[in-house]
Amino acid sequence: MAERASDEIIRVVGLGKSYITAAGPFPALKGVDLTIRGGEYVAVMGPSGSGKSTFMNLLGCLDTPTMGDYFLVGRNVAHLESDELAILRNRTIGFVFQGFNLLPRMSLEDNVALPLVYTRIEREPRRKKAREMLAKVGLEGYAQSLPARISGGQQQRVAIARALINSPSLILADEPTGNLDSHTSEEIMALFRELNEEGITIVLVTHEHDIAVHAKRQVRFLDGLIVSDVLTPAHEVQPC
Amino acid sequence: MLGPMLGEAWHAMGSNKLRTALTMLGMVIGVGSVVLMMAIGQGAQYAVEQTISTMGSNLYVIIAGWTQVSGARTGGGYGFTLRLGDADAIAELDDVVTVAPVHQVAQQIVYGSKNWNANIVGTTPDYLDARSWALVSGHAFTDEDVRSATRVALLGKTVIENLFDPGEDPLGKIIRVRNTPFEVIGTLAPKGQNLDGRDQDDAIVVPLSTAQRKIFGVPFAGSVRSIMVKAESAEAMPLVEKSVIALLRQRHRLREDQENDFYIRNLAAAADTAAETTRVMSLLLGAIASVSLLVGGIGIMNIMLVSVTERTREIGIRMAIGARQKDILAQFLLEAIMLSITGCLIGLVLGIGGALLVNALTNMVIVISGGSVLVAFAVAAGVGVFFGFYPARKAAALDPIEALRYQ
Ligand SMILES: Nc1ncnc2c1ncn2[C@@H]1O[C@H](COP(=O)(O)OP(=O)(O)OP(=O)(O)O)[C@@H](O)[C@H]1O
Ligand SMILES: [Mg+2]
């Protein structure tokens, strides 16, 4: 990954999204331009309703824009079939949600291994890889637990392990610490830092300044537009 | 890919056991009743076919009809319009293979301390040929026996069972019918029931002359109650029927305006009617049972739709981590198929069990053919695919972000 650190991984041009509501179309994103290179660590900030989640969902190929273009690793996503998008979500992108989004009836191991099911990996190598990932996020020994039996911080670690299992080049995290206390949040952020140091590009939404300073770059949204895009001052970047 | 998906489908079924069981119940009842009904229907068909094959093929029975006897009509089969000479004349007709006059009455038979009521069939040796009735042991009587009215008898299986001890050889033994002693010279192969459900083996076959002179006593010498006529082939039957009727009318000197004084019955036609009836019955039973299979299928569709709605969020999560539409489609389709196939297997077991129970309790013939089991299985799998497809497609067509937002 390191050798590709300067490659452009995300480029959006005039990207916009209007939701269709009862009161007519509602423009949640009004045309943003942004380029993110491989290995970057970007915090997306902004007040509630400014369009951050809308933006992230577009980046994650979960939703389709109503205007503009999105190039993911050089490919215009608008031109891709639904199967190709699924493959991108499966291999290129790891999505981490605020609400963890684990499948409640599956063991942690099976949850983590789930993306590999859609990569057509056999059961045994899948389990082995899932265990490795659980170990990486500090949850070895929890393979057979159910999501409801572990804490929120642990659930988010599992979700990160799941996002990582297919060695994606991009992690998208929408308020990953939103449901966690500050101590647990710090642990999760340390994990992200570690991943970024391994070369994985990270885009992370947060409301909190304390969280944002972990990132190297901060992009601020307001009313569906990007209003600032700055590097985090060196003295503020949290030491590892 | 299929392996883990099967596992998951199994898991999903297990996660709501009561619901799964109730959904499968529709399938269980559907398949169970199809299998049971087909077993009973095919059994009835088999029984009829079996009976037909024991009756002898291409047979006509001519029965003596009414005649004016001192001004009063006598009932069918009790007239004395048929004569031995008629039988001889019929034998001369084209396409007639065998003719056997028959005089048959039920009588008490005594052997030692045992007695039994059976049909005494007085006839000629050709009777056995006409009815394709084989001997198990001994030999048949001859035309000479008929001419000289020998007192010899061939015994049916039921008669033997009721008169003799198990293991006792009836050959050479003397039985008595109305005090007339008969020597047993042969035993007849079992035939089972006829179309009316009467036991064909409850009979003893003796020379016609002996029966008429020694047992029944006939008011008009030379008359017989019925004549069996075996035609050369099934194709020749209509022709034989026509010429028999023409011949008898001529011999009986009937005028144009007079009705036949005999009845002619085509046993094969009666059998065909019976076979057709049972065939229609088994089709009807199958059709009714299929309706319950359909209802079972609708039950599966219903529950799959509920399941898709309930698991919308799960579908969203799966899509977010890389499931393609066809993966989701396959997942739900597989679940539906698994539901129906599991239900089908249980239904098969219960249906076969039910059929065996019916057989044990009622002696009804049942036939469980591999074909009907296979058909039930294929139909059930088909039902799973058919009724599972719509919900599965609905799941696959969900928009990832909409599904993820679903609460
Ligand atoms: N599915 C939707 N249909 C209609 N309007 C929507 C939909 N999703 C979001 N919106 C609207 O779009 C705007 C931007 O929403 P978005 O979720 O992107 O904001 P956000 O920046 O993530 O806010 P928060 O910090 O609260 O998560 C909001 O005004 C919201 O009401
Ligand atoms: Mg948001």
Side-chain angles (χ1 to χ4, degrees):
Chain A
M1 292 282 166
E3 69 275 11
R4 295 184 54 200
S6 61
D7 289 355
E8 173 184 296
I9 188 158
I10 287 172
R11 182 156 62 92
V12 297
V13 185
L15 196 70
K17 172 81 187 178
S18 281
Y19 290 111
I20 302 184
T21 66
F26 176 83
L29 207 59
K30 299 172 180 164
V32 298
D33 302 300
L34 188 69
T35 300
I36 296 173
R37 293 181 179 282
E40 278 201 84
Y41 188 171
V42 182
V44 173
M45 308 207 37
S48 191
S50 55
K52 305 182 296 295
S53 293
T54 303
F55 182 64
M56 292 298 274
N57 292 338
L58 292 175
L59 292 191
C61 300
L62 295 171
D63 208 353
T64 45
T66 46
M67 64 182 217
D69 286 303
Y70 169 26
F71 299 89
L72 178 60
V73 205
R75 296 166 78 192
N76 190 335
V77 168
H79 298 158
L80 299 181
E81 302 281 333
S82 98
D83 275 7
E84 292 173 296
L85 292 176
I87 292 171
L88 279 179
R89 291 194 291 262
N90 187 231
R91 307 191 191 172
T92 309
I93 304 167
F95 213 106
V96 179
F97 303 87
Q98 177 175 358
F100 321 136
N101 274 344
L102 300 176
L103 295 188
R105 285 194 288 264
M106 272 189 189
S107 69
L108 299 187
E109 177 185 272
D110 287 344
N111 261 290
V112 172
L114 200 54
L116 294 182
V117 169
Y118 300 116
T119 319
R120 310 281 187 266
I121 306 284
E122 295 298 324
R123 183 171 172 78
E124 267 322 304
R126 221 162 58 212
R127 298 177 69 170
K128 188 163 165 278
K129 192 79 193 282
R131 291 233 174 82
E132 274 171 38
M133 286 300 135
L134 279 173
K136 187 179 172 87
V137 298
L139 286 173
E140 53 270 274
Y142 285 82
Q144 298 308 323
S145 306
L146 287 175
R149 301 277 160 78
I150 58 174
S151 73
Q154 287 170 323
Q155 286 189 51
Q156 194 58 297
R157 285 169 184 275
V158 174
I160 292 169
R162 181 179 66 186
L164 288 174
I165 196 160
N166 248 334
S167 318
S169 35
L170 174 64
I171 294 274
L172 300 173
D174 193 352
E175 299 192 48
T177 59
N179 289 2
L180 305 175
D181 64 32
S182 59
H183 175 71
T184 320
S185 297
E186 284 302 322
E187 284 175 10
I188 295 292
M189 291 320 289
L191 188 54
F192 276 123
R193 165 72 66 95
E194 212 178 289
L195 295 175
N196 180 243
E197 269 158 17
E198 288 171 22
I200 300 177
T201 313
I202 296 174
V203 182
L204 167 148
V205 174
T206 180
H207 280 287
E208 291 163 62
H209 180 258
D210 286 355
I211 297 293
V213 294
H214 284 270
K216 297 173 190 155
R217 179 179 170 193
Q218 297 180 24
V219 175
R220 188 167 291 275
F221 276 67
L222 187 64
D223 272 341
L225 288 169
I226 293 178
V227 290
S228 86
D229 181 354
V230 295
L231 294 181
T232 307
H235 67 271
E236 277 193 323
V237 176
Q238 295 274 316
C240 197
Chain B
M1 185 60 200
L2 200 63
M5 288 188 60
L6 274 176
E8 273 200 41
W10 190 251
H11 200 81
M13 277 174 59
S15 69
N16 197 334
K17 292 198 179 59
L18 180 63
R19 181 202 282 181
T20 303
L22 287 175
T23 309
M24 277 193 318
L25 195 62
M27 235 30 227
V28 170
I29 292 174
V31 172
S33 52
V34 165
V35 168
L36 180 62
M37 292 304 152
M38 278 168 93
I40 291 176
Q42 291 188 340
Q45 231 172 308
Y46 175 80
V48 166
E49 280 161 15
Q50 215 39 31
T51 306
I52 291 169
S53 74
T54 65
M55 287 187 332
S57 45
N58 309 333
L59 271 191
Y60 277 110
V61 178
I62 303 160
I63 302 161
W66 61 270
T67 181
Q68 301 287 133
V69 179
S70 355
R73 273 188 178 188
T74 59
Y78 290 92
F80 299 96
T81 55
L82 287 180
R83 312 191 62 82
L84 277 173
D86 291 335
D88 295 336
I90 292 169
E92 300 300 316
L93 290 173
D94 283 346
D95 294 323
V96 170
V97 190
T98 312
V99 174
V102 177
H103 194 138
Q104 175 173 336
V105 175
Q107 285 289 345
Q108 206 71 14
I109 310 167
V110 182
Y111 172 69
S113 61
K114 296 185 183 174
N115 67 82
W116 180 248
N117 195 287
N119 277 316
I120 316 295
V121 182
T123 186
T124 58
D126 286 339
Y127 177 80
L128 297 182
D129 177 36
R131 303 235 17 221
S132 322
W133 209 343
L135 287 170
V136 177
S137 68
H139 57 87
F141 50 83
T142 61
D143 289 322
E144 177 53 35
D145 288 320
V146 177
R147 265 193 293 282
S148 51
T150 339
R151 286 174 288 213
V152 290
L154 309 172
L155 302 194
K157 181 171 147 273
T158 307
V159 176
I160 296 170
E161 281 169 3
N162 285 286
L163 285 185
F164 294 90
D165 293 327
E168 190 178 357
D169 184 8
L171 284 189
K173 301 280 162 37
I174 305 295
I175 57 169
R176 290 176 170 276
V177 184
R178 275 199 156 185
N179 278 328
T180 307
F182 281 83
E183 181 189 353
V184 179
I185 59 166
T187 61
L188 295 161
K191 267 191 179 296
Q193 297 183 340
N194 72 3
L195 276 182
D196 306 328
R198 257 178 305 188
D199 182 5
Q200 303 183 79
D201 299 319
D202 193 7
I204 84 169
V205 179
V206 301
L208 177 67
S209 49
T210 323
Q212 290 190 326
R213 281 179 228 160
K214 304 280 162 39
I215 309 175
F216 311 142
V218 182
F220 301 100
S223 72
V224 286
R225 288 208 168 162
S226 59
I227 300 172
M228 280 205 168
V229 179
K230 185 183 172 85
E232 170 80 42
S233 62
E235 292 74 52
M237 288 194 77
L239 213 75
V240 168
E241 179 173 355
K242 258 196 211 126
S243 42
V244 164
I245 292 172
L247 178 76
L248 289 182
R249 285 187 67 88
Q250 184 209 329
R251 287 180 58 86
H252 296 184
R253 301 202 171 80
L254 296 175
R255 289 190 312 270
E256 283 285 315
D257 60 333
Q258 278 180 305
E259 285 176 46
N260 290 345
D261 58 357
F262 54 89
Y263 303 94
I264 180 157
R265 223 178 128 206
N266 180 344
L267 284 184
D272 282 350
T273 313
E276 183 59 23
T277 310
T278 51
R279 213 176 59 80
V280 168
M281 182 187 84
S282 83
L283 266 178
L284 264 177
L285 288 178
I288 293 167
S290 305
V291 171
S292 49
L293 203 61
L294 192 75
V295 174
I298 293 173
I300 287 183
M301 174 139 123
N302 184 26
I303 223 62
M304 289 312 293
L305 282 172
V306 171
S307 171
V308 168
T309 309
E310 276 182 355
R311 289 157 68 190
T312 298
R313 203 178 162 79
E314 173 191 328
I315 294 165
I317 294 170
R318 285 174 183 272
M319 285 177 160
I321 60 172
R324 293 177 286 184
Q325 292 190 338
K326 55 178 172 245
D327 296 323
I328 302 293
L329 183 89
Q331 180 190 342
F332 282 89
L333 205 53
L334 207 65
E335 254 182 69
I337 294 174
M338 216 138 119
L339 263 178
S340 67
I341 288 197
T342 314
C344 173
L345 283 177
I346 300 173
L348 273 181
V349 170
L350 291 185
I352 291 173
L356 293 176
L357 198 72
V358 164
N359 178 248
L361 293 182
T362 65
N363 268 329
M364 208 185 272
V365 182
I366 56 152
V367 172
I368 299 163
S369 65
S372 70
V373 168
L374 217 69
V375 164
F377 204 78
V379 166
V383 162
V385 175
F386 185 82
F387 289 101
F389 190 76
Y390 175 70
R393 213 193 46 181
K394 208 176 148 195
L398 284 173
D399 185 50
I401 193 69
E402 292 297 332
L404 271 171
R405 281 200 192 107
Y406 187 87
Q407 288 309 315

